[in-house]
Amino acid sequence: MTRQTLVAGNWKMNGTTDSIAELMSGLLSGLDQTGGKQAQVLVFPPTVYLNAVVDQCRNAPLGCGAQDVAVPESGAHTGDVSAAMLADIGCTHVLVGHSERRADHGERSDLVAQKARATLDAGLVPVVCCGETLEDRDAGRTEKVVGEQLDAVISQLDEAALARLIVAYEPVWAIGTGKTASADQAQQVHAFIRNKFASINDTIADRLIILYGGSVKGENAAELFSQPDIDGGLIGGASLTAEQFLPICQAGA
Ligand code: PGA
């Protein structure tokens, strides 16, 4: 089956009110001009800017998601933001288990699974991130590590929930390093991920969107996105300017 390409910009902890307004206006005018000939496009701004960006995405060919979410729905959880709140302001997607959350905040796969569940319960789509370190890859443990990260989430969800997931494969050694996985290396892991879902349900596996992330740029996007099991990208650094991000969106057309 043909899956629509999805290009998602993860802005991480970058931007100011002014720089984000400039980036959004560049994206909105650039995406309009391509008249629908691009991938589905999402942006993931820092939490404090979500409301403003969601507002600008209304009636635009652009969706908005959050970079993280808390597990509880509400209550005494100082500093946290719930999936219900993200849904309330109009977010549609949430990144869960990004390697920077795993590294900076010690997030383990069982917590990532709970975050995916909380996201689904609020009617939002979790983008479940997974990926191996360089040490794992060199030791031949890529599939074991990625498999375990995904199993933690998959084992908590029924098929109806699994059908709503998006997966992002992001080798840790390729994030922000300028070292992209080759199209072959990425395709191999993407095929492994799709097979894992196929062992549960073929239709779910067939429809599953699996994004690649890690130093995607305008120059390498088309080759990566043309692989049979790569359905788009999760873009960090190159999503911070319209000049760099738009060509990636167009590579997914
Ligand atoms: P990068 O980040 O494109 O800057 O490598 C990707 C990500 O972490 O989502």
Side-chain angles (χ1 to χ4, degrees):
M1 89 162 259
T2 12
R3 294 171 292 270
Q4 198 199 354
T5 306
L6 171 64
V7 175
N10 173 11
W11 297 349
K12 308 192 179 185
M13 199 172 70
N14 292 295
T16 61
T17 302
D18 287 350
S19 75
I20 286 178
E22 187 186 326
L23 172 53
M24 282 301 289
S25 95
L27 291 183
L28 292 171
S29 57
L31 291 172
D32 278 350
Q33 278 161 23
T34 61
K37 282 206 212 92
Q38 73 251 328
Q40 185 193 346
V41 183
L42 294 173
V43 290
F44 291 84
T47 311
V48 288
Y49 302 114
L50 275 174
N51 237 320
V53 173
V54 165
D55 276 347
Q56 286 190 275
C57 289
R58 288 187 217 286
N59 306 315
L62 187 61
C64 182
Q67 297 176 14
D68 183 40
V69 68
V71 175
E73 240 183 85
S74 63
H77 303 285
T78 303
D80 281 340
V81 172
S82 73
M85 291 170 175
L86 297 173
D88 180 44
I89 66 158
C91 286
T92 52
H93 293 69
V94 181
L95 298 181
V96 297
H98 190 283
S99 67
E100 286 152 16
R101 300 287 319 166
R102 294 179 193 259
D104 297 352
H105 300 275
E107 285 192 10
R108 298 167 58 95
S109 293
D110 53 342
L111 177 61
V112 175
Q114 291 177 48
K115 290 186 173 196
R117 177 82 269 170
T119 301
L120 288 161
D121 287 347
L124 306 180
V125 176
V127 180
V128 180
C129 304
C130 58
E132 81 288 0
T133 61
L134 190 56
E135 197 188 346
D136 294 328
R137 176 162 281 267
D138 287 347
R141 288 195 299 259
T142 298
E143 293 189 357
K144 181 174 186 293
V145 169
V146 169
E148 283 172 2
Q149 289 171 340
L150 289 176
D151 280 339
V153 176
I154 290 172
S155 65
Q156 300 301 313
L157 301 176
D158 61 18
E159 292 195 5
L162 288 179
R164 293 171 51 211
L165 294 187
I166 293 176
V167 172
Y169 167 60
E170 300 200 300
V172 178
W173 49 272
I175 296 179
T177 57
K179 266 198 247 162
T180 322
S182 68
D184 281 352
Q185 281 175 322
Q187 165 56 28
Q188 239 175 51
V189 182
H190 281 233
F192 163 76
I193 294 170
R194 199 174 304 286
N195 282 335
K196 173 172 271 306
F197 279 78
S199 69
I200 303 164
N201 180 310
D202 276 331
T203 310
I204 292 174
D206 209 29
R207 294 187 177 155
L208 178 70
I209 292 182
I210 310 175
L211 307 179
Y212 168 78
S215 300
V216 178
K217 302 180 193 61
E219 300 83 65
N220 56 27
E223 193 195 356
L224 285 160
F225 299 170
S226 69
Q227 300 302 307
D229 292 299
I230 300 183
D231 307 308
L234 181 55
I235 323 299
S239 71
L240 296 175
T241 65
E243 292 68 32
Q244 290 184 76
F245 192 49
L246 287 169
I248 302 174
C249 300
Q250 280 135 22

